[in-house]
Amino acid sequence: MLKSKYIFVAGGVMSGIGKGVAAASIGRILKSKGFKVTAIKIDPYLNVDAGTMNPIEHGEVFVTEDGTECDQDIGNYERFLDENIYDTNYITTGRVFQTVINKERNLEYNGRCVETIPDIPNEAISRIKKATRKNNADFVLIEIGGTVGEYQNILFLEAARMLKMAYPKDVLFILVSYLPIPQTIGEMKTKPTQYAVRSLNSIGIQPDFILARSARPLDEPRKKKISIFCNVPFKNIISAPDIQSIYDIPLNFEKENLGNRILNFFNLRSRKSNLKDWEKMAKSIKESKKSVKIGIVGKYFESGDFTLTDSYISVIEAIKHASSYYNLKPEISWISSEQYEKNPEKLKELKNYDGIIIPGGFGNRGIEGKIKAIEFCRKNKIPFLGLCLGMQLAVIEFARNVCNIKNANSTEFSKNCEPVIDIMEEQKKLLKNKKYGGTMRLGAYNCRLNPDTFSFKAYGNQKIISERHRHRYEFNNNYKEILEKNGMVFAGINPEKNLVEIVEIKNHPFFVGVQFHPEFKSRPLNPHPLFKEFIKTSAKK
Ligand code: GLN
């Protein structure tokens, strides 16, 4: 095995320029050259994890197999590397400080003064090493969240610098920077990137590569300029223009021979990469013509005047993966459920879609509108996939409108109701003691499938599957008999705790609600079976 190599990826000029996807793409390339690769995300916020943050502000909360609620970039790493990423690979300021303070309280620093520097960076380094060992990695990509020049991530940049000092030959720095083309000037400007490099320099880091994000490809004069002013070899300035699909990025980087340049930097010999399957998938995502129209009825996408779709990123990617499998081009529309509460007339518009998804969510807002949308899909035979909250609302809708339990609801939304969805026993105490962080039913659980269901067929007749969870509420088994009598099918059950995991209805082209989040396990080269079945049926409509 190779001595592990560390590749730090930091961002310059502004956030949201695709650092995570860039790092993940490099990972894909190195993996395709036969190396063992893993990726670490460092988030500079004080939250211990992403579980307590509002998705509008932070984007989707991604959940790992071992139940960590983390940043959506971990989702990108799983999708691009086609590997599971575990808790060890997610580092936040909150986690690092928590450990250091706990150690101090336990006298583990032997009575000496514990200081921000070097004790905080040292803890970050020890976490990076732990993740490296656990994954037996040849290459470790470490994405430092935020932008260089801000205070938030400085302790992690310090950790990177210290690691470089300890292993000068095994650490590489990449700056993903942005080059604006202001409309009034009409020219690509390099100065903000020069400043970003200067702020890195001032903390003792010299980038070895610059990935230049911009609307257009970088031309030669600007490459030269960046090279001279930023002190980076010309050949290590990689153009990263805007593209139609993120899945093209590894292919574009390969065109610039980035993979071998990285190997050569570490004094390793060039190797051929094998991106054939990836290329085929990326091509299908880009070039499929026949469209399938999917509506997502949710609420976490309005931010002022902008529609942000980051809250549902894994759902969107899962739709893309499944569609590309059938050479379909997904057209995704964002439907705010609240409008159906004020104006049920509008529900008719759902007929314009080939399939409807109701994704996960928390709290009261928009709930009744979603229930109306589900009723409409059920009655009008529009393919429906309910994810977590979407499944719970499908149960409520069925109880109210088919079983005539008028007051049916979830105790999350109403205390005086027929609780067809109820809080899980072990969750009650946690909430009472205000234990909100990392306490939901999280991570992978088994589910036994019943034959003769959409789900059994979708999963290729497997008896036991495993999926990832993130919720506090559950189907209430006291209502199982009456719902079943009225035609609800309980297609999947968690065998250990006898919990309902999948509900379906018959005499419908596709109506499936799942208590778990299948979107977290969909991979571009391995689309999720339920999404595949849902997209296939939707396309037939
Ligand atoms: N709010 C619901 C619960 O806690 C659903 C959560 C979700 O959709 N992830 O059970």
Side-chain angles (χ1 to χ4, degrees):
M1 203 191 106
L2 209 64
K3 188 166 172 231
S4 302
K5 310 288 178 208
Y6 302 96
I7 303 176
F8 283 93
V9 179
V13 179
M14 63 184 201
S15 65
I17 56 175
K19 250 186 318 183
V21 174
S25 298
I26 293 170
R28 180 79 224 177
I29 293 172
L30 293 171
K31 183 175 173 177
S32 88
K33 290 180 185 291
F35 293 104
K36 180 96 182 72
V37 182
T38 194
I40 295 174
K41 175 74 199 271
I42 298 184
D43 270 325
Y45 39 69
L46 269 169
N47 302 60
V48 170
D49 59 42
T52 53
M53 274 184 272
N54 180 341
I56 291 256
E57 199 182 309
H58 174 267
E60 166 188 274
V61 177
F62 188 79
V63 181
T64 59
E65 282 292 295
D66 56 353
T68 301
E69 298 171 278
C70 54
D71 184 78
Q72 51 175 311
D73 274 321
I74 299 280
N76 280 325
Y77 294 137
E78 288 206 348
R79 288 187 280 270
F80 276 72
L81 294 176
D82 204 0
E83 310 257 348
N84 288 337
I85 303 274
Y86 295 95
D87 185 64
T88 41
N89 290 36
Y90 179 52
I91 303 177
T92 67
T93 305
R95 289 185 160 199
V96 171
F97 272 83
Q98 201 174 45
T99 310
V100 171
I101 291 169
N102 285 341
K103 274 167 75 178
E104 184 275 328
R105 293 288 80 184
N106 297 338
L107 221 58
E108 284 176 50
Y109 292 101
N110 299 325
R112 72 169 168 83
C113 174
V114 183
E115 294 179 288
T116 307
I117 294 181
D119 292 304
I120 295 296
N122 271 338
E123 172 57 26
I125 290 173
S126 107
R127 283 171 176 258
I128 291 170
K129 287 188 176 165
K130 193 169 160 202
T132 307
R133 280 195 305 274
K134 180 181 160 114
N135 290 285
N136 239 327
D138 298 320
F139 287 95
V140 191
L141 288 144
I142 306 149
E143 179 193 350
I144 301 184
T147 311
V148 297
E150 62 180 72
Y151 285 114
Q152 314 278 3
N153 55 16
I154 227 151
L155 292 170
F156 294 113
L157 290 168
E158 183 65 6
R161 185 190 66 77
M162 285 160 65
L163 201 67
K164 172 87 181 176
M165 200 166 67
Y167 309 104
K169 295 210 173 94
D170 302 314
V171 176
L172 179 154
F173 293 112
I174 297 180
L175 179 72
V176 182
S177 194
Y178 187 71
L179 291 103
I181 309 176
Q183 245 179 13
T184 43
I185 307 175
E187 185 200 334
M188 186 187 286
K189 302 306 268 178
T190 63
K191 194 77 83 209
T193 295
Q194 296 177 36
Y195 281 124
V197 171
R198 213 169 292 168
S199 10
L200 263 185
N201 289 162
S202 72
I203 41 180
I205 293 176
Q206 169 61 43
D208 304 299
F209 284 78
I210 293 182
L211 302 186
R213 288 279 299 110
S214 187
R216 276 189 271 145
L218 209 61
D219 58 6
E220 192 151 325
R222 259 145 284 259
K223 263 196 191 180
K224 272 195 190 137
K225 199 165 179 183
I226 296 177
S227 169
I228 292 168
F229 283 93
C230 300
N231 199 20
V232 174
F234 181 83
K235 62 178 192 334
N236 289 359
I237 311 225
I238 308 288
S239 174
D242 288 353
I243 24 86
Q244 211 184 321
S245 151
I246 52 169
Y247 297 109
D248 278 344
I249 295 174
L251 305 170
N252 286 355
F253 283 171
E254 259 320 65
K255 278 185 205 143
E256 303 227 8
N257 205 18
L258 177 58
N260 282 336
R261 289 194 200 290
I262 289 176
L263 293 188
N264 300 159
F265 175 91
F266 287 118
N267 276 325
L268 298 167
R269 245 182 274 141
S270 296
R271 278 196 196 179
K272 263 213 158 74
S273 38
N274 179 1
L275 290 163
K276 279 207 186 75
D277 290 354
W278 192 271
E279 216 172 315
K280 210 171 124 209
M281 170 276 297
K283 191 162 180 244
S284 156
I285 286 192
K286 244 185 3 201
E287 293 177 6
S288 297
K289 294 266 161 2
K290 188 171 177 262
S291 78
V292 54
K293 283 192 185 151
I294 304 299
I296 301 184
V297 182
K299 68 170 175 184
Y300 298 119
F301 38 72
E302 284 152 347
S303 172
D305 291 341
F306 300 92
T307 301
L308 305 177
T309 54
D310 262 12
S311 323
Y312 301 111
I313 185 79
S314 291
V315 178
I316 300 171
E317 296 309 314
I319 295 171
K320 283 192 208 160
H321 306 157
S323 303
S324 91
Y325 184 87
Y326 293 111
N327 291 315
L328 293 163
K329 178 185 151 88
E331 278 174 39
I332 300 173
S333 301
W334 302 98
I335 307 169
S336 162
S337 62
E338 283 166 289
Q339 54 173 336
Y340 300 140
E341 293 168 10
K342 292 171 218 136
N343 194 352
E345 263 300 290
K346 286 195 106 182
L347 280 164
K348 282 203 295 282
E349 72 180 20
L350 292 177
K351 282 202 171 151
N352 300 333
Y353 299 99
D354 300 322
I356 294 291
I357 291 181
I358 301 213
F362 294 81
N364 242 324
R365 184 163 68 85
I367 289 297
E368 290 303 321
K370 289 182 192 171
I371 294 176
K372 284 199 168 74
I374 295 172
E375 180 184 10
F376 194 88
C377 291
R378 181 174 58 77
K379 289 183 172 160
N380 293 282
K381 307 222 183 294
I382 301 170
F384 165 79
L385 180 60
L387 309 172
C388 202
L389 176 71
M391 170 267 191
Q392 298 175 352
L393 298 179
V395 168
I396 297 170
E397 190 280 321
F398 194 84
R400 285 185 192 171
N401 301 328
V402 179
C403 310
N404 216 8
I405 310 174
K406 288 289 171 235
N407 194 22
N409 213 332
S410 162
T411 47
E412 183 179 1
F413 315 124
S414 159
K415 297 295 160 235
N416 301 310
C417 64
E418 295 267 0
V420 288
I421 303 293
D422 200 2
I423 183 120
M424 289 184 276
E425 214 28 66
E426 59 265 38
Q427 290 291 330
K428 284 184 190 160
K429 247 219 283 332
L430 293 168
L431 287 192
K432 216 169 139 204
N433 296 323
K434 292 200 176 332
K435 295 257 180 277
Y436 295 113
T439 56
M440 285 188 238
R441 183 179 178 219
L442 289 168
Y445 285 87
N446 285 332
C447 169
R448 194 184 57 236
L449 296 178
N450 292 328
D452 200 21
T453 56
F454 291 120
S455 305
F456 189 66
K457 188 178 150 216
Y459 283 97
N461 299 353
Q462 284 184 74
K463 287 196 185 79
I464 301 274
I465 54 149
S466 165
E467 292 284 357
R468 299 185 195 171
H469 290 249
R470 179 174 186 250
H471 54 107
R472 285 188 207 284
Y473 295 79
E474 279 299 343
F475 179 84
N476 182 345
N477 280 330
N478 294 336
Y479 292 88
K480 207 165 165 189
E481 209 182 306
I482 176 159
L483 268 72
E484 201 156 34
K485 230 189 259 160
N486 283 280
M488 183 150 260
V489 177
F490 296 97
I493 304 287
N494 167 263
E496 285 82 26
K497 291 198 162 174
N498 190 28
L499 305 171
V500 170
E501 308 281 41
I502 310 179
V503 301
E504 300 184 357
I505 58 169
K506 286 207 168 109
N507 304 319
H508 193 286
F510 187 94
F511 190 102
V512 177
V514 292
Q515 184 58 83
F516 44 82
H517 289 274
E519 67 271 24
F520 293 147
K521 287 184 69 168
S522 181
R523 308 269 168 89
L525 295 180
N526 197 2
H528 193 281
L530 274 179
F531 277 88
K532 265 164 67 183
E533 196 65 22
F534 167 70
I535 291 291
K536 191 167 102 188
T537 320
S538 301
K540 278 190 205 140
K541 182 181 172 263

